[in-house]
DNA sequence: TGGCAATTGTTGAAGTTTCAATATTTTCGC
DNA sequence: GCGAAAATATTGAAACTTCAACAATTGCCA
């Protein structure tokens, strides 16, 4: 019985090894950390975000505030919930960042007349002017990436990221 | 003089517009937030990291701790600096996470005999056993991604991310 | 209609990360 | 070999994020 099990185990190992090396990657438990998609995304995000951060630092503005300004730039108000989704922040964090931006007169709150639970956020003139300067800095970062990485790769990567995000929802 | 500058400005606008619409994407200042590479990376990272986090939560372990265990699994000691680079954390943060893991007997510190400024980190037996359970959870997440997103896209995305990271250094 | 559940945003406490300063050890020039 | 500069890890304070509870308003349905 032990022997039979051992033989059967060997057979299945051989079969799996053969099949997997032809059809697909073997599902090894020992995949290095650096081959996990989650890790590669974290690493790339960290690096690119750092670059952007250091550009925007010329205006003394954190990345999150740039995102907020950019979303509000069109002049249509957004509720805190909509805004939080758009800028990838959870609600309490957004509330506190917005508090600071209100102090800096970059954005302002208006009670939504249609639904008085809601607050509509708007961008001030000052906020819009700052936003445009920040946009330039951000564009120059993307240009720098495209220089080193190539236009084709950049567009292909964007396309794949969009479809990954789609497929995850 | 004013007129000449104006004409020259118009010319250069036309030239740039013509050239850019043939050669590359026009560098509009009004690119939506959702088309910036930095944003797409942040969004994808957030989503995939959330998924992984919720899987690893079955063992009550944060993603960072899994990364640390995985790096140390091979039994070769790593200094705090090496480990911090490998797991994408800065030094003080790593020190504090490691403190917790030492309390939980998952890892341990050894003074490096070759260089007494350094501390070598190792994974305990307990840590290795936990790491293997975590690996299974992580593998099942990747399998789930591949199911929805496709094998080809996944591999292509990984390849592009790796080369982006390369090009950024 | 009246009241209960759901939605929206904020708050305060707890937890986490980051920055600057520190202690220790090594390296290197002289 | 000595002393200044660099490298390594940790610490404590400050800043930030997150969690859970709360207040206000709306939607629902019986």
């Amino acid at each position: 019985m032990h022997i039979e099990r051992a033989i059967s185990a060997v057979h299945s190992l051989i079969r799996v090894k053969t099949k997997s090396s032809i059809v697909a990657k073997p599902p090894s438990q020992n995949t290095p950390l650096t081959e996990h998609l989650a890790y590669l995304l974290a690493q790339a995000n960290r690096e690119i975000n750092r670059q952007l951060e250091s550009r925007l630092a010329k205006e003394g503005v954190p990345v999150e505030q740039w995102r907020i300004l950019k979303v509000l730039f069109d002049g249509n108000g957004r509720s805190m919930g909509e805004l939080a989704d758009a800028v990838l922040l959870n609600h309490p964090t957004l509330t506190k960042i917005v508090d600071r931006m209100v102090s800096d007169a970059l954005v302002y709150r208006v009670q939504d007349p249609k639904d008085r639970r809601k607050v509509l956020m708007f961008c001030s003139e000052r906020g819009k002017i700052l936003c445009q300067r920040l946009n330039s800095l951000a564009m120059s970062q993307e240009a720098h990436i495209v220089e080193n990485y190539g236009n084709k790769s950049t567009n292909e990567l964007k396309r794949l990221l969009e479809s990954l995000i789609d497929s995850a929802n």
Side-chain angles (χ1 to χ4, degrees), chain A residues 58-74:
Chain A
K58 295 200 193 340
E59 295 284 346
V61 177
V63 177
E64 292 77 16
Q65 294 197 16
W66 170 60
R67 290 198 195 130
I68 292 170
L69 291 173
K70 201 160 172 57
V71 168
L72 298 182
F73 189 85
D74 66 9

Side-chain angles (χ1 to χ4, degrees), chain A residues 102-138:
Chain A
V102 169
S103 303
D104 295 344
L106 298 173
V107 298
Y108 56 94
R109 293 176 161 99
V110 175
Q111 170 118 276
D112 184 345
K114 313 272 183 185
D115 182 343
R116 296 197 341 266
R117 289 169 301 182
K118 292 186 184 175
V119 167
L120 296 180
M121 296 303 313
F122 291 89
C123 192
S124 70
E125 269 316 303
R126 187 163 143 58
K128 286 185 186 177
I129 290 168
L130 175 59
C131 185
Q132 285 169 321
R133 288 204 301 277
L134 298 171
N135 286 344
S136 293
L137 296 171

Side-chain angles (χ1 to χ4, degrees), chain A residues 14-164:
Chain A
I14 291 170
R15 185 172 46 73
V16 167
K17 189 168 199 328
T18 304
K19 182 180 174 192
S20 62
S21 57
I22 293 171
V23 172
K25 194 163 60 176
S28 160
Q29 290 294 89
N30 279 11
T31 306
L33 182 55
T34 53
E35 282 175 22
H36 280 269
L37 180 56
Y39 179 83
L40 291 170
L41 280 170
Q43 194 180 5
N45 180 49
R46 186 177 151 99
E47 184 58 37
I48 298 305
N49 203 54
R50 281 228 179 118
Q51 288 183 8
L52 181 56
E53 196 174 39
S54 74
R55 301 260 175 161
L56 299 188
K58 295 200 193 340
E59 295 284 346
V61 177
V63 177
E64 292 77 16
Q65 294 197 16
W66 170 60
R67 290 198 195 130
I68 292 170
L69 291 173
K70 201 160 172 57
V71 168
L72 298 182
F73 189 85
D74 66 9
N76 304 329
R78 316 286 161 120
S79 74
M80 292 295 279
E82 288 169 342
L83 190 53
D85 289 348
V87 302
L88 314 176
L89 293 172
N90 49 22
H91 294 203
T93 303
L94 178 63
T95 292
K96 284 155 194 176
I97 293 179
V98 162
D99 285 347
R100 277 168 241 158
M101 295 176 78
V102 169
S103 303
D104 295 344
L106 298 173
V107 298
Y108 56 94
R109 293 176 161 99
V110 175
Q111 170 118 276
D112 184 345
K114 313 272 183 185
D115 182 343
R116 296 197 341 266
R117 289 169 301 182
K118 292 186 184 175
V119 167
L120 296 180
M121 296 303 313
F122 291 89
C123 192
S124 70
E125 269 316 303
R126 187 163 143 58
K128 286 185 186 177
I129 290 168
L130 175 59
C131 185
Q132 285 169 321
R133 288 204 301 277
L134 298 171
N135 286 344
S136 293
L137 296 171
M139 296 301 295
S140 96
Q141 186 222 6
E142 286 230 11
H144 176 254
I145 292 169
V146 169
E147 247 174 52
N148 295 336
Y149 184 54
N151 207 330
K152 201 177 153 191
S153 293
T154 306
N155 288 328
E156 182 66 2
L157 178 56
K158 285 185 186 179
R159 200 188 60 75
L160 280 169
L161 287 171
E162 278 169 2
S163 93
L164 173 65

